Amino acid sequence: MGELKDIALWNYADWAALIASVTLAGFLVAGAFALTRPQEEVMGHPKGLYMLFFAEMWERFSYYGMRALLILYLVKHWLYSDGSANLIYGAYTSLVYITPVLGGWLADKYLGQRKAVAFGAILLTLGHFFMAFEGDGSGFDNDPTLNVFWLALALIIVGSGFLKANISVLVGQLYSRTDTRRDGAYTIFYVGINLGAATGVLIAAYLGETVSWALGFGLAGFGMLLGLVVFILGKNLLRGNGEPPVPAKLKQKVAGLNLEWLLYGVGFAGVALIWVLIQYQEAVGGILLISGIALLGYVLYESFKLDKEARERVYAMIFFILLMPLFWGLFEQAGGSMNLFTDRYVDRGGVPTTFFQSVNAIYIVLLGPIFAIMWQWMARSGIEPSTPAKMGLGIAQMGLAFIVTVWGAENFSNANDAGVLLTPVLFIFIFYLLSTTGELCLSPVGLSAINRLSMKHMASLMMAAFFFGTAGGNFVAGAMGALMGQGEGGEMTRDAALEIYWAMGLVATGVGILVCIVSPLVKRLMHLDTLADDVEDETMEDASVVTATNA
């Protein structure tokens, strides 16, 4: 690893890190101004949205700063093969999206979203700080510090389980079901996610790659700590949302402990379990399949208790969830195989590899507000695509991202002095542009739809199921990345990568078109014409929560 450079020797990656720091500071000043205004709303939205914006921004700062470094850290520091590193990366990122099922269920039944998010943030802070213990660099066969690395990953995985789905639910709870600002609110929230992602990569990951792994991971931990502080101080801005469904239940004694503390103990027991599981990556796929079938069965079982329209809304949500493995299996190549491809087979012009992990987030910060305005304008004009149509367009664009990248690599590559064919960096920017516009058509729209269509007593469970679909995609991403490791010592080859990328692109584009074709049928299942803010219905939902909790 390098040392801090004299300013006279800075290149544009160094200046990008400085600009990211200044941008982050500017947003913090603007956020502090907005949150201290006496008005209940700022720029047409509750101040609680901006508090959640900043809490999630710091969480994403830490997560994406660490994510950009992870596969390079595994290959260059722990000396894993490309294939093994891709499997670890896929297992880790998939488990990050599995654990929200438990965290969402515990929040729905017992803790409430606010307490769950706070506990998750504590675990995440500990995990990111433990990542700063990098050992002596002698490789995974010789360094016992690897056990601390597994512990750090386990803390981050379980912490994400308590935070990820529940903080997204809190955003929706600030708005009524029929509030037309909901899609715009989730898009604003999504900008916060990606502002944190971009600055985390340009600052934390950049320092980790160019100065020291410990500095990059440690700075990510500091960002998570700030997110925890923002969330705790902003409690009152939630307007009483996200509290335990039955507060007295948490004070009941179980085995001599308050139920609330027992549930936190379950969280730490989960850390121990994940610490073991993350070391056996091949088992994660089977667990995903079995738990996915079980989760789908449970959701269907719960849906049979609902009336016809509410049940069909659950069917529509299941359709959205089943799209997630395909989209995210392709999208998450960015942090895995595409990260290695960029490192070895792209003419980067001397720019650190992790720099390109910020491109998607920067595009979202720039394009997110445009999409939010566009959806509102199209809604007013009566030409807005339906939710399933938007998601179909998103998958098709993700497919095109791979098709264009392979086309560029095969037709415009030039050999370097070592005879390695290097793809022009322009096509990497195009790849991230198309994957970003696809993401904006799918992810915030999906978040909004799940929150809008869910019955109140199933809100966190359905949001967790949505993320579970993402978990499947992350594991698929790692498995597909491992298939590219066909060279000597399991190293990824350029030809194998391009061949698999081409197949990915064709399949995704075809599926996206098919989803657009069937979107009118799925839209009918959503029953948007009868979706209303009914006080009696909410009372009935609250009663069902009490009944389920007491049972």
Side-chain angles (χ1 to χ4, degrees):
M1 306 300 286
E3 298 179 355
L4 290 173
K5 291 188 289 188
D6 186 279
I7 192 170
L9 301 176
W10 283 18
N11 58 30
Y12 48 86
D14 302 309
W15 287 105
L18 176 62
I19 293 170
S21 301
V22 172
T23 301
L24 184 60
F27 268 90
L28 291 176
V29 171
F33 177 81
L35 293 176
T36 54
R37 296 303 86 198
Q39 303 96 314
E40 284 289 316
E41 296 188 349
V42 176
M43 294 189 295
H45 289 278
K47 288 195 291 186
L49 172 65
Y50 301 103
M51 182 275 288
L52 295 172
F53 174 106
F54 281 100
E56 180 70 349
M57 180 193 76
W58 282 117
E59 190 272 328
R60 294 290 87 182
F61 176 96
S62 60
Y63 177 78
Y64 277 95
M66 179 265 205
R67 171 183 173 272
L69 287 172
L70 182 57
I71 199 161
L72 299 176
Y73 184 56
L74 289 167
V75 171
K76 296 182 178 181
H77 179 75
W78 289 113
L79 307 181
Y80 280 99
S81 69
D82 292 352
S84 296
N86 269 292
L87 280 177
I88 295 170
Y89 174 85
Y92 161 70
T93 54
S94 64
L95 287 169
V96 162
Y97 288 96
I98 291 176
T99 51
V101 175
L102 176 61
W105 184 80
L106 289 175
D108 279 339
K109 298 294 184 182
Y110 303 107
L111 288 172
Q113 287 76 26
R114 183 184 64 81
K115 287 180 179 289
V117 168
F119 178 62
I122 292 171
L123 295 180
L124 282 163
T125 301
L126 291 172
H128 284 291
F129 277 128
F130 274 123
M131 285 292 296
F133 292 87
E134 61 182 60
D136 59 19
S138 59
F140 65 92
D141 286 329
N142 305 306
D143 192 344
T145 312
L146 183 63
N147 290 308
V148 179
F149 171 70
W150 297 129
L151 174 61
L153 291 186
L155 284 163
I156 294 170
I157 288 165
V158 177
S160 295
F162 279 92
L163 183 143
K164 186 175 289 293
N166 291 310
I167 198 168
S168 296
V169 170
L170 283 172
V171 172
Q173 289 178 347
L174 295 173
Y175 301 86
S176 65
R177 289 193 181 192
T178 55
D179 195 325
T180 58
R181 299 176 296 171
R182 291 173 68 94
D183 275 12
Y186 271 103
T187 302
I188 291 171
F189 181 67
Y190 217 68
V191 169
I193 290 173
N194 287 279
L195 176 64
T199 53
V201 171
L202 290 174
I203 301 170
Y206 168 72
L207 291 174
E209 184 182 6
T210 60
V211 182
S212 78
W213 302 114
L215 179 60
F217 290 130
L219 189 58
F222 180 72
M224 190 61 244
L225 178 62
L226 288 177
L228 173 61
V229 171
V230 168
F231 186 77
I232 291 174
L233 294 180
K235 171 186 174 182
N236 292 335
L237 298 178
L238 295 175
R239 299 176 174 178
N241 289 300
E243 294 303 314
V246 186
K249 186 80 172 178
L250 291 179
K251 297 180 180 179
Q252 292 182 2
K253 296 290 185 180
V254 179
L257 291 174
N258 283 354
L259 177 60
E260 180 175 356
W261 288 103
L262 185 62
L263 292 175
Y264 296 146
V266 169
F268 282 108
V271 171
L273 176 63
I274 296 297
W275 178 83
V276 175
L277 183 61
I278 190 64
Q279 299 179 55
Y280 298 93
Q281 299 86 36
E282 294 83 358
V284 174
I287 292 172
L288 268 172
L289 180 61
I290 294 171
S291 55
I293 293 172
L295 176 61
L296 179 61
Y298 180 71
V299 168
L300 288 172
Y301 171 75
E302 289 293 321
S303 73
F304 295 147
K305 302 176 183 178
L306 306 175
D307 60 48
K308 179 178 181 294
E309 290 191 353
R311 183 168 60 253
E312 290 187 347
R313 291 188 185 111
V314 172
Y315 298 158
M317 288 187 283
I318 290 174
F319 178 82
F320 300 150
I321 291 166
L322 292 177
L323 297 177
M324 295 300 102
L326 173 63
F327 180 85
W328 294 109
L330 273 64
F331 184 91
E332 281 297 327
Q333 296 299 320
S337 70
M338 186 59 74
N339 208 0
L340 293 176
F341 186 87
T342 303
D343 187 56
R344 298 166 186 173
Y345 304 120
V346 172
D347 186 2
R348 295 180 283 111
V351 175
T353 304
T354 54
F355 173 87
F356 296 93
Q357 292 295 298
S358 70
V359 175
N360 164 252
I362 293 171
Y363 278 147
I364 285 186
V365 172
L366 296 175
L367 298 176
I370 296 174
F371 270 72
I373 293 169
M374 180 180 70
W375 296 142
Q376 290 185 343
W377 174 81
M378 295 179 80
R380 289 193 299 268
S381 303
I383 58 173
E384 183 183 19
S386 66
T387 293
K390 289 177 183 177
M391 297 178 81
L393 290 171
I395 293 171
Q397 289 171 86
M398 189 69 248
L400 286 174
F402 283 98
I403 290 173
V404 172
T405 301
V406 174
W407 175 76
E410 291 184 341
N411 290 280
F412 298 97
S413 293
N414 293 301
N416 62 9
D417 293 340
V420 178
L421 288 173
L422 298 180
T423 302
V425 73
L426 171 65
F427 290 98
I428 299 303
F429 283 100
I430 294 174
F431 171 84
Y432 284 115
L433 176 63
L434 287 169
S435 62
T436 299
T437 55
E439 183 184 6
L440 284 169
C441 286
L442 181 137
S443 191
V445 170
L447 285 171
S448 178
I450 296 295
N451 194 276
R452 185 183 188 188
L453 298 176
S454 298
M455 296 289 284
K456 188 175 181 180
H457 70 283
M458 294 177 65
S460 286
L461 174 65
M462 294 308 303
M463 189 65 73
F466 184 75
F467 285 126
F468 190 94
T470 306
N474 279 268
F475 185 81
V476 169
M480 295 296 287
L483 289 178
M484 300 175 200
Q486 298 176 358
E488 184 177 352
E491 184 172 328
M492 181 178 74
T493 65
R494 181 179 183 274
D495 290 343
L498 292 178
E499 181 180 350
I500 294 174
Y501 287 159
W502 181 255
M504 288 176 175
L506 292 178
V507 170
T509 303
V511 171
I513 293 171
L514 180 61
V515 171
C516 289
I517 292 173
V518 302
S519 62
L521 174 61
V522 181
K523 182 181 178 182
R524 284 198 293 272
L525 292 175
M526 296 168 69
H527 294 288
L528 298 176
D529 54 331
T530 58
L531 193 64
D533 301 310
D534 192 317
V535 175
E536 292 184 4
D537 283 349
E538 291 187 0
T539 302
M540 291 174 63
E541 290 170 20
D542 290 339
S544 67
V545 172
V546 174
T547 302
T549 304
N550 289 336

mmCIF file of all heavy atoms in Angstrom, residues 7 24 53 82 191 219 313 355 369 388 500 508 517 527-528:
data_model
loop_
_atom_site.group_PDB
_atom_site.id
_atom_site.type_symbol
_atom_site.label_atom_id
_atom_site.label_comp_id
_atom_site.label_asym_id
_atom_site.label_seq_id
_atom_site.Cartn_x
_atom_site.Cartn_y
_atom_site.Cartn_z
ATOM 1 N N ILE A 7 0.726 17.200 -2.356
ATOM 2 C CA ILE A 7 -0.356 17.755 -3.177
ATOM 3 C C ILE A 7 0.114 18.059 -4.595
ATOM 4 O O ILE A 7 -0.675 18.013 -5.548
ATOM 5 C CB ILE A 7 -0.949 19.023 -2.498
ATOM 6 C CG1 ILE A 7 -2.266 19.406 -3.197
ATOM 7 C CG2 ILE A 7 0.041 20.171 -2.518
ATOM 8 C CD1 ILE A 7 -3.039 20.483 -2.440
ATOM 9 N N LEU A 24 -19.661 16.210 0.446
ATOM 10 C CA LEU A 24 -20.262 15.607 1.632
ATOM 11 C C LEU A 24 -20.453 16.652 2.720
ATOM 12 O O LEU A 24 -21.517 16.722 3.362
ATOM 13 C CB LEU A 24 -19.373 14.472 2.136
ATOM 14 C CG LEU A 24 -19.888 13.652 3.313
ATOM 15 C CD1 LEU A 24 -21.210 12.979 2.968
ATOM 16 C CD2 LEU A 24 -18.858 12.606 3.717
ATOM 17 N N PHE A 53 -32.703 10.189 5.522
ATOM 18 C CA PHE A 53 -31.782 10.400 4.394
ATOM 19 C C PHE A 53 -30.342 10.389 4.894
ATOM 20 O O PHE A 53 -29.473 9.675 4.364
ATOM 21 C CB PHE A 53 -32.127 11.740 3.731
ATOM 22 C CG PHE A 53 -31.202 12.200 2.626
ATOM 23 C CD1 PHE A 53 -31.598 12.133 1.299
ATOM 24 C CD2 PHE A 53 -29.965 12.748 2.912
ATOM 25 C CE1 PHE A 53 -30.762 12.584 0.279
ATOM 26 C CE2 PHE A 53 -29.121 13.198 1.904
ATOM 27 C CZ PHE A 53 -29.535 13.119 0.589
ATOM 28 N N ASP A 82 -9.294 -15.724 -7.675
ATOM 29 C CA ASP A 82 -10.436 -14.941 -8.167
ATOM 30 C C ASP A 82 -11.750 -15.672 -7.930
ATOM 31 O O ASP A 82 -12.750 -15.073 -7.526
ATOM 32 C CB ASP A 82 -10.277 -14.650 -9.664
ATOM 33 C CG ASP A 82 -9.135 -13.697 -9.953
ATOM 34 O OD1 ASP A 82 -8.568 -13.143 -8.993
ATOM 35 O OD2 ASP A 82 -8.808 -13.518 -11.143
ATOM 36 N N VAL A 191 -31.452 8.927 -3.323
ATOM 37 C CA VAL A 191 -30.330 9.834 -3.568
ATOM 38 C C VAL A 191 -29.409 9.849 -2.353
ATOM 39 O O VAL A 191 -28.178 9.850 -2.478
ATOM 40 C CB VAL A 191 -30.832 11.250 -3.904
ATOM 41 C CG1 VAL A 191 -29.679 12.249 -3.901
ATOM 42 C CG2 VAL A 191 -31.523 11.264 -5.263
ATOM 43 N N LEU A 219 -12.252 4.323 8.352
ATOM 44 C CA LEU A 219 -13.041 5.501 8.010
ATOM 45 C C LEU A 219 -14.486 5.112 7.727
ATOM 46 O O LEU A 219 -15.423 5.851 8.067
ATOM 47 C CB LEU A 219 -12.427 6.190 6.783
ATOM 48 C CG LEU A 219 -12.992 7.562 6.414
ATOM 49 C CD1 LEU A 219 -12.844 8.531 7.585
ATOM 50 C CD2 LEU A 219 -12.276 8.128 5.193
ATOM 51 N N ARG A 313 -52.886 -8.303 -4.021
ATOM 52 C CA ARG A 313 -51.757 -7.375 -3.905
ATOM 53 C C ARG A 313 -50.498 -8.122 -3.459
ATOM 54 O O ARG A 313 -49.395 -7.802 -3.906
ATOM 55 C CB ARG A 313 -52.097 -6.247 -2.920
ATOM 56 C CG ARG A 313 -53.159 -5.284 -3.430
ATOM 57 C CD ARG A 313 -53.311 -4.080 -2.519
ATOM 58 N NE ARG A 313 -54.411 -3.234 -2.966
ATOM 59 C CZ ARG A 313 -55.556 -3.064 -2.315
ATOM 60 N NH1 ARG A 313 -55.735 -3.662 -1.133
ATOM 61 N NH2 ARG A 313 -56.505 -2.296 -2.804
ATOM 62 N N PHE A 355 -12.173 3.673 -7.844
ATOM 63 C CA PHE A 355 -12.806 4.912 -8.307
ATOM 64 C C PHE A 355 -14.071 4.614 -9.111
ATOM 65 O O PHE A 355 -15.083 5.311 -8.975
ATOM 66 C CB PHE A 355 -11.812 5.704 -9.162
ATOM 67 C CG PHE A 355 -12.393 6.920 -9.840
ATOM 68 C CD1 PHE A 355 -12.439 8.136 -9.198
ATOM 69 C CD2 PHE A 355 -12.903 6.835 -11.133
ATOM 70 C CE1 PHE A 355 -12.971 9.259 -9.826
ATOM 71 C CE2 PHE A 355 -13.441 7.930 -11.766
ATOM 72 C CZ PHE A 355 -13.474 9.153 -11.107
ATOM 73 N N PRO A 369 -32.971 12.970 -8.923
ATOM 74 C CA PRO A 369 -33.972 14.048 -8.916
ATOM 75 C C PRO A 369 -34.702 14.185 -10.250
ATOM 76 O O PRO A 369 -35.890 14.502 -10.283
ATOM 77 C CB PRO A 369 -33.129 15.296 -8.612
ATOM 78 C CG PRO A 369 -31.924 14.777 -7.900
ATOM 79 C CD PRO A 369 -31.639 13.453 -8.520
ATOM 80 N N PRO A 388 -44.971 -2.400 -12.625
ATOM 81 C CA PRO A 388 -44.315 -3.541 -13.294
ATOM 82 C C PRO A 388 -43.678 -3.162 -14.626
ATOM 83 O O PRO A 388 -42.636 -3.727 -14.994
ATOM 84 C CB PRO A 388 -45.455 -4.551 -13.474
ATOM 85 C CG PRO A 388 -46.716 -3.778 -13.300
ATOM 86 C CD PRO A 388 -46.396 -2.663 -12.373
ATOM 87 N N ILE A 500 -19.675 -14.733 -20.831
ATOM 88 C CA ILE A 500 -20.750 -14.790 -19.837
ATOM 89 C C ILE A 500 -21.507 -13.473 -19.783
ATOM 90 O O ILE A 500 -22.741 -13.455 -19.650
ATOM 91 C CB ILE A 500 -20.171 -15.172 -18.459
ATOM 92 C CG1 ILE A 500 -19.630 -16.602 -18.511
ATOM 93 C CG2 ILE A 500 -21.233 -15.050 -17.367
ATOM 94 C CD1 ILE A 500 -18.897 -17.044 -17.266
ATOM 95 N N ALA A 508 -31.318 -10.986 -19.928
ATOM 96 C CA ALA A 508 -31.971 -9.900 -19.193
ATOM 97 C C ALA A 508 -32.814 -9.022 -20.105
ATOM 98 O O ALA A 508 -33.928 -8.618 -19.736
ATOM 99 C CB ALA A 508 -30.921 -9.054 -18.470
ATOM 100 N N ILE A 517 -44.588 -6.708 -21.299
ATOM 101 C CA ILE A 517 -45.768 -7.241 -21.987
ATOM 102 C C ILE A 517 -46.842 -7.672 -20.994
ATOM 103 O O ILE A 517 -48.033 -7.435 -21.205
ATOM 104 C CB ILE A 517 -45.351 -8.421 -22.900
ATOM 105 C CG1 ILE A 517 -44.491 -7.906 -24.061
ATOM 106 C CG2 ILE A 517 -46.589 -9.145 -23.436
ATOM 107 C CD1 ILE A 517 -43.887 -9.014 -24.924
ATOM 108 N N HIS A 527 -54.717 -3.548 -7.642
ATOM 109 C CA HIS A 527 -55.979 -2.902 -7.226
ATOM 110 C C HIS A 527 -55.741 -1.479 -6.701
ATOM 111 O O HIS A 527 -56.194 -1.102 -5.613
ATOM 112 C CB HIS A 527 -56.684 -3.738 -6.157
ATOM 113 C CG HIS A 527 -57.166 -5.073 -6.647
ATOM 114 N ND1 HIS A 527 -58.243 -5.207 -7.503
ATOM 115 C CD2 HIS A 527 -56.689 -6.326 -6.430
ATOM 116 C CE1 HIS A 527 -58.423 -6.502 -7.770
ATOM 117 N NE2 HIS A 527 -57.490 -7.196 -7.144
ATOM 118 N N LEU A 528 -55.054 -0.688 -7.491
ATOM 119 C CA LEU A 528 -54.750 0.676 -7.079
ATOM 120 C C LEU A 528 -55.998 1.548 -6.966
ATOM 121 O O LEU A 528 -56.024 2.522 -6.207
ATOM 122 C CB LEU A 528 -53.761 1.311 -8.071
ATOM 123 C CG LEU A 528 -52.392 0.630 -8.171
ATOM 124 C CD1 LEU A 528 -51.547 1.299 -9.244
ATOM 125 C CD2 LEU A 528 -51.667 0.672 -6.830
#
